[in-house]
Amino acid sequence: MKRSPALLFVFILSTTICMAGCGLPRPQTDPSLDKAAWQAARDLRSMNQEIQTSKGTGKVRLESPGGIQTYQIAWAARAPNRVRITFTASGHPVETIAADGSRVTFLSHTGQHKPHTPAADDPDLEPYTRVPVRLSDLISLLLGQIPVQNFDDAWFVPGDQSRILLRKNFRSYSQELILEPDNTIRLLRLLDREDVVRWEIHYHAFDTMDKKKIPVHMTITNGEHRKAHVTITRFWPNVPVKESVFQLTRTGS
């Protein structure tokens, strides 16, 4: 059965939003370097946190074992739990995801599936994506932020001050940040309990849009040979967004 573009896109995007924790034993590290790693990770996590709303347009190229699909996207988002994303192909709407703060709805404009709505204001999308991502994490990505998890511990990989490992107590996954020389992010990875890479997001380019430094070209890859090449073409931060934008009817209006 062919997966809808919105669900496939969320499936891939969800690889960027994960929990951290109990992997291999932590190595002995220099406390002064740990402090530097902690600060670098905090700086990335705080990037664009002042952006509370956004509107934007872009392009998504989805690659999976079933083939390649390319869509234009347009969205409006408001932290922490409101968003509307529409996928179009050849100028025609294909799928819309909408969340109004109390529920999220997936709506097909082509009749591929019936509208479905999980029962939560910040739902776990696992029933639809098979990956445990929260709606608020997806919204964070659309606000131009780097989805660095909350963490309790941070350190540089011994001998390599471009790689930071992050862990959170009592969680089963960790994150790895691979930095450029200027401490901007190049790769964000999810690691399993054995510290094997499961998913990663590669940041190819940033651009200044309305005086904000925004990730504008990313490739998101997961362990099932799925990729999303995401290009942001226009981005407006902290613009007024009416509440009615997030209230979706069955026709998608």
Side-chain angles (χ1 to χ4, degrees), residues 100-106 116-125 127-128 134-135:
D100 62 7
S102 61
R103 64 178 183 176
V104 57
T105 300
F106 294 85
H116 36 193
T117 300
D121 58 0
D122 186 18
D124 182 350
L125 301 177
Y128 308 100
R134 294 286 177 183
L135 177 69

Side-chain angles (χ1 to χ4, degrees), residues 181-199:
D182 62 356
N183 276 356
T184 57
I185 191 163
R186 176 160 53 94
L187 283 169
L188 172 62
R189 286 175 169 163
L190 172 73
L191 309 176
D192 65 15
R193 290 177 181 273
E194 287 73 40
D195 284 357
V196 174
V197 176
R198 301 294 300 275
W199 304 285

Side-chain angles (χ1 to χ4, degrees), residues 25-199:
R26 188 198 193 287
Q28 292 293 322
T29 55
D30 182 337
S32 64
L33 291 178
D34 292 348
K35 183 177 181 181
W38 187 286
Q39 186 60 54
R42 284 294 182 191
D43 288 347
L44 288 173
R45 179 171 167 76
S46 65
M47 180 178 172
N48 291 329
Q49 288 296 315
E50 72 278 9
I51 298 178
Q52 292 297 297
T53 66
S54 72
K55 292 182 179 180
T57 62
K59 181 173 68 175
V60 177
R61 176 184 167 93
L62 303 176
E63 297 181 9
S64 70
I68 297 175
Q69 300 166 293
T70 301
Y71 300 94
Q72 302 296 320
I73 60 170
W75 78 84
R78 180 190 298 164
N81 56 9
R82 287 166 168 77
V83 71
R84 180 171 180 147
I85 314 169
T86 297
F87 296 75
T88 61
S90 300
H92 300 288
V94 176
E95 186 103 13
T96 294
I97 305 172
D100 62 7
S102 61
R103 64 178 183 176
V104 57
T105 300
F106 294 85
L107 177 70
S108 171
H109 298 278
T110 62
Q112 187 172 340
H113 60 80
K114 294 181 179 180
H116 36 193
T117 300
D121 58 0
D122 186 18
D124 182 350
L125 301 177
E126 187 171 11
Y128 308 100
T129 67
R130 294 181 291 160
V131 175
V133 55
R134 294 286 177 183
L135 177 69
S136 57
D137 295 320
L138 176 59
I139 293 170
S140 169
L141 192 66
L142 297 176
L143 293 173
Q145 299 161 0
I146 306 297
V148 177
Q149 65 194 3
N150 281 315
F151 58 92
D152 298 313
D153 198 4
W155 68 93
F156 289 112
V157 172
D160 189 349
Q161 293 185 39
S162 69
R163 297 170 60 196
I164 298 173
L165 289 177
L166 305 177
R167 288 184 179 172
K168 188 169 180 61
N169 296 333
F170 313 113
R171 299 278 177 90
S172 59
Y173 291 92
S174 60
Q175 280 187 328
E176 180 181 17
L177 312 178
I178 300 181
L179 309 180
E180 299 287 5
D182 62 356
N183 276 356
T184 57
I185 191 163
R186 176 160 53 94
L187 283 169
L188 172 62
R189 286 175 169 163
L190 172 73
L191 309 176
D192 65 15
R193 290 177 181 273
E194 287 73 40
D195 284 357
V196 174
V197 176
R198 301 294 300 275
W199 304 285

